[in-house]
Amino acid sequence: MLEMTELCNSIERASSGSTEQHELIVKWNQKTTRPYELHEFENYWRAVDQKVFVKEALCPSAKYVADLTYPEARAILEEICTAALPEHLISYYIDFLDRQFPNCRASDLIYWPDCWFDDPSMIRDVNGAFKSEANLTTDQILHYLMTKSDRRLPEAFDDVQLPFPMPTKW
């Protein structure tokens, strides 16, 4: 953690686009689970602090789990929705959900349902505040993800009511 934090600091201090900066990013990428680009070092602070950025870089890549069950996915989603996990793990598990339900944009459904449904009027009132009836349960979120991805998980409930129509534009 300390080594990667110092490396991050060095990348940020180096002249933008310099050979030194490029070499530092190559060194960084040798220790991470995915390649990072310069713009990520220039912009991460807009979303997370440096400690979270470094921890995210050190997290393993999320993998597709062929035998994932509904209770397992639901437990993960509950941890995300209650913010019970550190930020870097929330990021990891959102990526995990995106791997399980491809092309479903799980983070949009969780955090920005008005964007996911592509109809803010369903989710927000005229003043822009989220409507209380628009709060989706973890079961509803999972059923939207399963429906959109066409992946039904074992042990999924059959009686979950989905309050909004599936988006059609994406």
Side-chain angles (χ1 to χ4, degrees), residues 64-152:
Y64 179 81
V65 178
D67 62 348
L68 180 69
T69 66
Y70 187 85
E72 292 167 333
R74 187 173 190 261
I76 290 168
L77 187 56
E78 285 175 354
E79 293 293 312
I80 292 169
C81 291
T82 60
L85 300 169
E87 284 182 74
H88 72 284
L89 291 179
I90 289 174
S91 179
Y92 169 82
Y93 282 117
I94 287 174
D95 184 43
F96 176 85
L97 290 175
D98 285 337
R99 302 279 174 155
Q100 308 317 305
F101 306 104
N103 303 313
C104 285
R105 302 180 352 230
S107 65
D108 284 357
L109 181 56
I110 296 166
Y111 298 115
W112 303 284
D114 51 335
C115 294
W116 199 86
F117 289 104
D118 197 31
D119 186 354
S121 67
M122 288 190 321
I123 309 295
R124 296 179 182 265
D125 64 24
V126 293
N127 296 321
F130 281 102
K131 297 175 183 176
S132 59
E133 65 272 15
N135 291 333
L136 300 174
T137 67
T138 52
D139 290 314
Q140 289 169 330
I141 292 170
L142 272 177
H143 274 75
Y144 277 116
L145 294 174
M146 288 189 310
T147 302
K148 189 73 177 165
S149 67
D150 202 26
R151 180 182 184 194
R152 180 145 176 92

Side-chain angles (χ1 to χ4, degrees), residues 19-82:
T19 302
E20 175 193 15
Q21 191 178 51
H22 173 73
E23 290 171 356
L24 291 167
I25 292 173
V26 168
K27 187 175 179 180
W28 169 276
N29 286 336
Q30 290 171 346
K31 299 173 186 294
T32 61
T33 57
R34 69 165 181 86
Y36 281 70
E37 297 178 15
L38 175 58
H39 70 88
E40 294 176 273
F41 293 92
E42 296 171 338
N43 295 308
Y44 74 82
W45 56 269
R46 292 179 177 155
V48 297
D49 67 22
Q50 186 182 58
K51 184 177 180 179
V52 172
F53 180 70
V54 171
K55 284 182 176 183
E56 285 177 358
L58 295 172
C59 269
S61 297
K63 305 288 187 225
Y64 179 81
V65 178
D67 62 348
L68 180 69
T69 66
Y70 187 85
E72 292 167 333
R74 187 173 190 261
I76 290 168
L77 187 56
E78 285 175 354
E79 293 293 312
I80 292 169
C81 291
T82 60

